[in-house]
Amino acid sequence: MSPLRRGDVGVWSTSAGGHPDLRLSPAERARAGRYRQAEDRARSGTGAALLRFALRHATGGSRVDVDRRCPGCGADDHGPPAVVGTRDDAAWSVSLSHSGDLVTVAVAHGLGHVGVDVERTRPGAAVAALLCTADERRTDDAAPDPGDAWLTRWVRKEAVLKAARVGLTVPMRHLVLAAAHEPARLVSWDARTRPAGLALADVACRDLGPAATGGTGHRGAVATLGGPPRAVHVARIAPGSLARTAPALSPAGT
């Protein structure tokens, strides 16, 4: 994938289990080492390496890196990923998601914040009750495959919430999105939890197809807050391709 132009979004995805010998910073290794399960450690390490790989390809810069410093406490192991090392860091935004063996990173240039979500496990009825408004639930229950409709709605809503930098602190039922069989679109957001200054017209959401999800039963979506992207580029990263992506010599918080 070529460097992104302003107004573009790039999406990179890969398998968490296909990248031995990753070159991680001490903080990244420590973060991955906190997980008890090998699969979780692999997802954490692959996510860190894929973030750096995606940013360097998106920006064309060999020393671009990711700052995971928490804006609240200053710790370097749990903050939202931020871009450092470009000529205009504020113009770039990055988001990370993983589910099962799939790890996905989205990078946006000049579109405000970006959010990406991928999921594989279909929500059950109990989760759907937390996910959907009453009208959304009636629509999805009437779909040919309600479980798939719920899953599509889930990734769309979480992508929007991540782009808005509020995550799951906001109940998903406070957002209304178009039905799964329609193009992704934010219809409304409860005024009680909608971030100040956020205009619905500025929120763009797109579904990710098999080129991004690998056709493995996952559903995915990407959202931006600066209007619709000029283009969304997708790249699937082959196993072993992240091993040469080393941290910068003076990383900020990674």
Side-chain angles (χ1 to χ4, degrees):
M1 188 185 298
S2 302
L4 298 181
R5 295 169 58 187
R6 195 171 190 89
D8 284 0
V9 170
V11 178
W12 288 258
S13 60
T14 193
S15 167
H19 301 278
D21 304 320
L22 291 172
R23 301 175 68 183
L24 303 177
S25 72
E28 289 165 346
R29 290 193 181 280
R31 189 182 307 126
R34 294 190 183 100
Y35 292 100
R36 299 179 62 182
Q37 301 297 323
E39 295 85 353
D40 295 327
R41 293 194 295 272
R43 278 190 289 266
S44 178
T46 301
L50 184 61
L51 278 168
R52 190 158 39 247
F53 180 96
L55 281 172
R56 292 179 183 177
H57 281 76
T59 64
S62 62
R63 295 184 56 79
V64 178
D65 221 310
V66 183
D67 185 353
R68 296 299 298 267
R69 196 176 306 278
C70 174
C73 70
D76 64 1
D77 62 349
H78 60 262
V83 182
V84 292
T86 72
R87 293 182 178 179
D88 184 7
D89 292 346
W92 295 91
S93 178
V94 63
S95 181
L96 167 70
S97 182
H98 49 70
S99 176
D101 190 52
L102 181 68
V103 181
T104 302
V105 166
V107 180
H109 185 200
L111 287 166
H113 290 307
V114 65
V116 68
D117 190 51
V118 292
E119 302 288 346
R120 182 180 61 181
T121 303
R122 295 185 175 199
V127 174
L130 301 175
L131 167 67
C132 302
T133 65
D135 287 343
E136 288 178 323
R137 182 66 185 272
R138 282 190 289 270
T139 298
D140 292 350
D141 285 351
D145 186 344
D148 189 64
W150 295 336
L151 185 58
T152 298
R153 196 178 293 281
W154 178 288
V155 296
R156 290 175 174 181
K157 289 193 177 188
E158 187 159 348
V160 170
L161 291 171
K162 290 171 80 171
R165 292 300 191 262
V166 295
L168 297 180
T169 62
V170 170
M172 284 191 169
R173 287 181 297 181
H174 284 202
L175 282 70
V176 175
L177 273 87
H181 65 276
E182 300 174 349
R185 178 175 61 90
L186 178 63
V187 176
S188 66
W189 189 326
D190 192 313
R192 293 173 295 174
T193 55
R194 189 171 69 204
L198 186 146
L200 297 182
D202 291 337
V203 180
C205 186
R206 291 195 186 184
D207 296 322
L208 297 176
T213 63
T216 55
H218 288 81
R219 291 290 180 268
V222 62
T224 54
L225 296 191
R230 188 187 66 87
V232 177
H233 307 278
V234 174
R236 182 79 174 173
I237 306 306
S241 301
L242 301 180
R244 296 184 299 276
T245 308
L249 294 179
S250 55
T254 61

